[in-house]
Amino acid sequence: QGQLFESGGGSVQAGGSLRLSCTASGDMYSDADACMGWFRQAPGKEREGVAAIYTISSKFYYADSVKGRFTISQDKAKNTVYLQMDGLKPEDTAIYYCAVPIRGCVSGSWVRRSAEVDNWGQGTQVTVSS
């Protein structure tokens, strides 16, 4: 069993950029080709998937709402997954959570399957002002 450590949230104006980092400790990152990534939750809304990546094959997936603006990547030597967020919009305001493993990445159902995630980071606030 391990932990997920997040960093990189903050406040920006619309159109700005932020980069989130999530480092996995223990065996969580390298045991298998796990789908790992980010969910977010805005006040009064359900937690939704944002971006995901397989830790060995590096196949990646995005929610439709962030395609073309967000980029997920990883540094395998550091057991770290990154989320580069460009062109931020006020509707991107939420708490962002790192998650592993994420079920349903290949099928596309992963964005709505937060209840099946075993491990979460502590969350980091992203606030985008207009």
Side-chain angles (χ1 to χ4, degrees):
Q1 195 72 17
Q3 290 183 302
L4 300 172
F5 301 95
E6 301 171 14
S7 62
S11 297
V12 295
Q13 291 190 326
S17 298
L18 287 171
R19 189 176 82 154
L20 307 183
S21 299
C22 174
T23 299
S25 69
D27 297 329
M28 293 170 61
Y29 185 84
S30 59
D31 262 6
D33 195 15
C35 192
M36 179 174 176
W38 300 88
F39 282 72
R40 67 186 181 187
Q41 189 165 20
K45 294 189 176 180
E46 293 185 353
R47 194 170 293 192
E48 63 177 3
V50 176
I53 189 169
Y54 275 96
T55 56
I56 294 179
S57 67
S58 296
K59 293 180 181 178
F60 52 85
Y61 308 88
Y62 297 101
D64 289 342
S65 59
V66 306
K67 282 180 181 176
R69 300 188 297 121
F70 290 11
T71 303
I72 191 168
S73 62
Q74 61 183 334
D75 184 333
K76 297 177 183 180
K78 296 182 178 179
N79 289 3
T80 299
V81 172
Y82 304 97
L83 184 66
Q84 177 67 38
M85 304 185 293
D86 298 317
L88 282 161
K89 304 176 180 180
E91 52 262 44
D92 294 319
T93 296
I95 299 175
Y96 284 69
Y97 297 91
C98 184
V100 67
I102 301 172
R103 272 81 178 188
C105 285
V106 175
S107 69
S109 63
W110 62 279
V111 292
R112 296 294 177 214
R113 295 175 69 170
S114 62
E116 298 176 53
V117 172
D118 293 334
N119 302 284
W120 294 99
Q122 78 278 11
T124 186
Q125 178 70 48
V126 171
T127 303
V128 185
S129 58
S130 58

